[in-house]
């Protein structure tokens, strides 16, 4: 369902949920948002549970300090108490615990957008609907394609080096191996950058030049319906939090 959702309304909906998470200092709301995003990743985006847990690790590490001080040591920081006072936090919830689940909730909502959106379609939608300058849009496309290509090139370089040295390929590259491959990887990046520059010249990427676009998928009634449904669920969750009181 979300894979066919137009990127721009989907972005607006995800940003609305993130802003709500940043404004509402309630543990129940953060947990509900975190669970909802996780279920969408499992059911709609078909993310395996192991990969979903791996996605949570960076966000969990970011908020782990708040979690340990609140749950293990029961001594919240002054920053957590200040956030709770400014945003009307509930007294029955540890402020650090709310901040921990806020990080997880915002991270999972952003993961929903990233996992269900084609990057090329998103950039083309920005260029077509929001008039993103063509040089900036094509630069973003080049960067998004170069990162996975550089990873594949590094793997090929490591395989060639392992064959030359007559030993099996290690699963994790050692610092010495990374240092030995730094120059070849840099040469590959320079070649890619040169080709990208030639491609820009061939496409006539002068600022302010009039350009044509291939037909892009419009924002349909289904997209507006999904946006309204998502915003309606957000309003219902906020109303439930407000009805529960401080």
């Amino acid at each position: 369902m979300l894979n066919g959702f137009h990127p721009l309304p989907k972005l607006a909906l995800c940003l609305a949920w993130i802003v709500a998470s940043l404004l509402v200092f309630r543990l129940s709301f953060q947990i509900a948002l975190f669970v909802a995003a996780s279920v969408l990743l499992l059911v709609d985006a078909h993310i395996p549970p192991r990969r979903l847990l791996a996605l949570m690790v960076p966000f969990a590490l970011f908020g782990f300090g708040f979690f340990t001080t609140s749950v293990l040591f029961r001594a919240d920081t002054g920053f957590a108490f200040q956030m709770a006072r400014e945003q009307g936090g509930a007294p029955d919830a540890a402020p650090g615990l709310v901040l921990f689940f806020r990080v997880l909730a915002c991270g999972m909502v952003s993961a929903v957008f990233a996992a269900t959106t084609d990057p090329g379609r998103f950039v083309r939608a920005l260029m077509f609907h929001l008039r993103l300058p063509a040089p900036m849009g094509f630069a973003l496309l080049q960067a998004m394609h170069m990162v996975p290509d550089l990873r594949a090139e590094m793997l090929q370089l490591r395989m060639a080096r392992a064959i030359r040295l007559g030993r099996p390929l290690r699963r994790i590259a050692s610092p010495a191996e990374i240092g030995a491959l730094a120059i070849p990887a840099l040469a590959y990046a320079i070649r890619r950058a040169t080709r990208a520059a030639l491609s820009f010249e061939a496409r006539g990427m002068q600022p302010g030049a009039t350009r044509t676009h291939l037909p892009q998928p419009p924002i349909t009634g289904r997209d507006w319906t999904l946006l309204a449904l998502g915003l309606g669920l957000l309003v219902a969750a906020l109303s439930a939090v407000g009805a529960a009181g401080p």
Side-chain angles (χ1 to χ4, degrees), residues 4 7 12 15 23 34 40 43 47 54 72 81 103 107-108 131 135 154 156 211 232:
L15 289 177
L23 294 179
F34 165 68
L40 283 176
V43 177
I47 301 294
L72 299 181
F81 279 115
V103 173
M108 289 298 100
R131 300 297 185 265
M154 284 293 295
Q156 291 185 14
R211 300 190 56 83

Side-chain angles (χ1 to χ4, degrees), residues 50 151 155 158 162 168-174 177-178:
R50 182 178 299 179
R151 179 182 178 184
L155 179 59
R158 292 185 60 213
L169 180 67
R170 296 175 179 175
R171 186 169 186 178
I172 300 178
S174 64
E177 184 178 5
I178 294 176

Side-chain angles (χ1 to χ4, degrees), residues 1 6 49 57 70 96 102 111 161 165 190 196 202 205-206 231 244-245:
M1 179 179 66
H6 196 279
V57 169
S70 294
R102 172 183 283 179
R161 186 173 185 271
L165 296 177
I190 293 174
M205 292 294 178
Q206 292 84 7
L231 293 177

Side-chain angles (χ1 to χ4, degrees), residues 7 23 31 42 67 97 99 102 104 119 158 169 175 207 210 215 217 220-221:
L23 294 179
I31 293 178
L42 288 172
F67 180 81
L97 194 59
L99 293 176
R102 172 183 283 179
L104 286 178
R158 292 185 60 213
L169 180 67
T210 303
T220 62

Side-chain angles (χ1 to χ4, degrees), residues 34 40 42 52-53 61 79 120 128 131 141 144 193 214 227 245:
F34 165 68
L40 283 176
L42 288 172
L52 180 62
L53 292 175
L61 291 176
F79 173 77
F128 185 76
R131 300 297 185 265
L141 289 174
M144 287 186 294
L214 292 174
L227 177 62

Side-chain angles (χ1 to χ4, degrees), residues 30-184:
Q30 306 297 337
I31 293 178
L33 183 57
F34 165 68
V35 171
S38 301
V39 170
L40 283 176
L41 287 171
L42 288 172
V43 177
D44 192 84
H46 304 291
I47 301 294
R50 182 178 299 179
R51 186 183 171 192
L52 180 62
L53 292 175
L55 286 174
M56 296 180 188
V57 169
F59 307 108
L61 291 176
F62 184 80
F64 190 68
F66 295 115
F67 180 81
T68 54
T69 54
S70 294
V71 177
L72 299 181
F73 302 106
R74 300 190 179 278
D76 284 300
T77 62
F79 173 77
F81 279 115
Q82 182 181 356
M83 292 289 291
R85 288 194 301 267
E86 292 178 355
Q87 299 183 359
D92 58 342
L97 194 59
V98 178
L99 293 176
F100 173 74
F101 276 99
R102 172 183 283 179
V103 173
L104 286 178
C106 293
M108 289 298 100
V109 171
S110 62
V112 167
F113 180 80
T116 60
T117 304
D118 178 69
R121 186 186 177 196
F122 175 56
V123 174
R124 288 191 294 269
L126 290 176
M127 295 170 60
F128 185 76
H129 294 285
L130 299 184
R131 300 297 185 265
L132 179 71
M136 187 179 298
F138 277 96
L140 289 174
L141 289 174
Q142 285 287 339
M144 287 186 294
H145 284 92
M146 186 174 180
V147 171
D149 289 348
L150 182 59
R151 179 182 178 184
E153 182 69 16
M154 284 293 295
L155 179 59
Q156 291 185 14
L157 291 174
R158 292 185 60 213
M159 292 174 62
R161 186 173 185 271
I163 293 174
R164 180 170 59 84
L165 296 177
R167 66 186 186 191
L169 180 67
R170 296 175 179 175
R171 186 169 186 178
I172 300 178
S174 64
E177 184 178 5
I178 294 176
L181 298 179
I183 299 301

